[in-house]
Amino acid sequence: MKYSSFLAATAILSLAFACSQKPTQESIQEEIKLMIKAEQVAEHNGKPVYHYVLDNGTLQVELSNYGGLIHKIITPDKNGNKENITLTFDTVEEYLSKPNPFFGATAGRVANRIADAEFSLDGTKYTLAKTNGDNHLHGGVEGFNKKVWDAEPYSNDSTLGVKMTYLSVDGEEGYPGNLQTTLWMELTTDNTLRIRFESTTDKKTILNLTNHTYFNLGGAKRDILDHEFQFWADYYTPVDEELIPTGEVKDVTGTPFDFRTPKILGDQIAANGGGFDHNMVMKMERTPEMKHFVRVKHPESGRVMDMYSDNAGVQFYTANFLANFAGADGKTYEKHWGFCLESQNWPDAINHENFPSPELNPGEKYEHRIEYRFSISN
């Protein structure tokens, strides 16, 4: 069964007539630009899979409750031409049957790598699936990216969103505790895409959630080497040959990781002798304050994306392992065709005492906020 038109109409009406006073013609014209569409496109493990479209008149964000994923972000360039700026498939249904490198997905329970696929809590050893060589990556064989979340769209006079919930039961993928997670994804009238996580557990566990969207501000026509990056990061965490942090926290000064002033990515990749797949240190500990993490510009199109978060780090990944991948619109994605800015705790933190702790105890609430703010620079 499919439904779409009723929800879209309801969203428009609720936004246009939210005020108790009679709306003016101008306010109706302004509000009617905000629209949510929803369509059931599949079933997976007996649960409905939906494709959502959030449209504020300028940006269009497409989501799914499968994997809590961002399917597409369609935004104008400096000439008003709208293009999708993510690496993805044409349809949500393809995610159910085609392997992919976490396009747009919510990664969890623990995003990034855990060395040797094991960790200990209070003297108890937990063994996880080895999904990246001898290590554990992005939550396991069937992490949050392969789960169908319960979902409910919502709207007000400045925001369109989808609220998603998922219960990860005790022992799922080897992790302890029944973990209840709520995910909000929303588009605002000022062209900001907000992502917010909240989680609670009934048993001590570890947690590190993020979104794994691959961006290409040029519209995914070629690689991202002409993009300009600026990180507000004084340090990064070096890694070994398996991309596991060594435990060192290193000053970026005099290294290719120094993006404190804007740098062209191609130049930095050449200086680094390859791509990036590293944690940029944004804070020395997790605090609730939002911080400006990154600004990315694509000079040719004029698109600008500013990323803010309250977390301690951001994994900067430049699609080093992508090759000959059949993506959306008949395109074949190659190495460095996209970049990920994975706001998260530092990788393998449970195995490094000097890293911010990923532990979550009963009675505590895990909270994590991310914002992508889109604009144009002529």
Side-chain angles (χ1 to χ4, degrees):
M1 176 181 177
K2 295 186 177 182
Y3 76 95
S4 58
S5 58
F6 174 78
L7 181 57
T10 301
I12 294 171
L13 290 172
S14 66
L15 290 167
F17 298 102
C19 300
S20 58
Q21 62 198 45
K22 183 177 179 180
T24 64
Q25 183 63 33
E26 289 77 16
S27 70
I28 292 175
Q29 290 174 347
E30 178 68 23
E31 301 289 0
I32 206 167
K33 293 178 182 178
L34 297 171
M35 184 170 62
I36 303 175
K37 296 180 181 178
E39 181 181 18
Q40 183 178 337
V41 295
E43 283 194 2
H44 184 68
N45 293 335
K47 300 186 70 174
V49 174
Y50 287 97
H51 174 219
Y52 298 96
V53 179
L54 313 182
D55 192 335
N56 72 0
T58 301
L59 263 66
Q60 182 173 300
V61 177
E62 301 184 23
L63 311 172
S64 179
N65 64 322
Y66 177 74
L69 69 86
I70 296 171
H71 180 217
K72 294 181 181 180
I73 301 173
I74 298 171
T75 181
D77 65 10
K78 62 186 177 183
N79 298 315
N81 301 312
K82 291 189 175 183
E83 296 175 300
N84 174 46
I85 58 166
T86 70
L87 303 190
T88 186
F89 293 120
D90 288 310
T91 66
V92 167
E93 300 94 302
E94 291 173 88
Y95 282 87
L96 303 177
S97 59
K98 295 182 179 180
N100 70 89
F102 296 91
F103 285 156
T106 292
R109 289 190 189 190
V110 174
N112 219 308
R113 294 169 176 85
I114 297 177
D116 299 320
E118 61 184 30
F119 66 95
S120 294
L121 284 176
D122 297 335
T124 300
K125 182 178 178 180
Y126 295 93
T127 301
L128 311 174
K130 294 183 177 181
T131 55
N132 186 245
D134 287 330
N135 306 305
H136 182 80
L137 177 68
H138 292 326
V141 177
E142 290 193 8
F144 284 10
N145 62 303
K146 294 184 179 179
K147 304 299 183 181
V148 179
W149 298 57
D150 294 328
E152 179 182 359
Y154 61 90
S155 62
N156 56 44
D157 59 357
S158 62
T159 303
L160 301 165
V162 180
K163 176 183 177 181
M164 307 186 198
T165 58
Y166 178 67
L167 173 62
S168 177
V169 298
D170 184 28
E172 182 176 288
E173 291 296 326
Y175 292 97
N178 292 297
L179 183 80
Q180 180 68 57
T181 297
T182 303
L183 163 63
W184 292 265
M185 290 185 171
E186 57 188 32
L187 176 64
T188 70
T189 53
D190 63 355
N191 299 325
T192 297
L193 173 59
R194 295 175 181 157
I195 300 173
R196 180 160 57 100
F197 298 99
E198 287 186 2
S199 298
T200 58
T201 183
D202 62 0
K203 184 178 181 181
K204 190 171 185 177
T205 191
I206 61 174
L207 187 63
N208 187 27
L209 302 175
T210 194
N211 179 269
H212 205 288
T213 295
Y214 289 71
F215 297 95
N216 183 318
L217 301 188
K221 303 183 191 73
R222 57 178 183 270
D223 63 45
I224 54 167
L225 300 183
D226 59 349
H227 286 44
E228 179 185 284
F229 287 79
Q230 182 175 10
F231 285 81
W232 279 265
D234 295 322
Y235 300 91
Y236 76 102
T237 51
V239 296
D240 63 19
E241 63 279 359
E242 294 185 331
L243 300 175
I244 299 295
T246 62
E248 182 183 7
V249 181
K250 188 173 182 179
D251 191 328
V252 299
T253 303
T255 76
F257 296 85
D258 191 350
F259 287 87
R260 291 174 293 185
T261 57
K263 303 286 176 59
I264 299 300
L265 180 61
D267 295 339
Q268 299 306 101
I269 285 180
N272 193 38
F276 293 90
D277 194 359
H278 297 77
N279 170 54
M280 306 295 287
V281 173
M282 310 312 297
K283 301 177 182 178
M284 289 300 180
E285 60 183 0
R286 295 191 69 234
T287 61
E289 291 80 21
M290 293 290 282
K291 180 181 177 180
H292 194 180
F293 274 20
V294 191
R295 173 171 291 159
V296 188
K297 295 183 179 180
H298 182 242
E300 182 178 323
S301 69
R303 293 188 180 96
V304 180
M305 185 178 79
D306 288 277
M307 179 188 180
Y308 292 74
S309 178
D310 60 357
N311 219 315
V314 57
Q315 186 78 6
F316 180 35
Y317 177 52
T318 53
N320 311 323
F321 304 110
L322 198 60
N324 195 32
F325 193 98
D329 303 315
K331 297 175 181 176
T332 301
Y333 302 147
E334 300 290 355
K335 185 178 182 179
H336 302 323
W337 267 52
F339 65 91
C340 300
L341 297 173
E342 305 162 52
S343 168
Q344 57 188 269
N345 198 15
W346 302 2
D348 196 33
I350 190 61
N351 293 314
H352 297 274
E353 291 185 357
N354 60 321
F355 285 12
S357 174
E359 295 178 5
L360 181 67
N361 294 292
E364 297 177 343
K365 181 187 291 185
Y366 170 93
E367 297 180 281
H368 180 195
R369 293 176 295 157
I370 307 168
E371 292 186 357
Y372 300 106
R373 304 178 186 180
F374 298 95
S375 59
I376 297 294
S377 175
N378 292 316

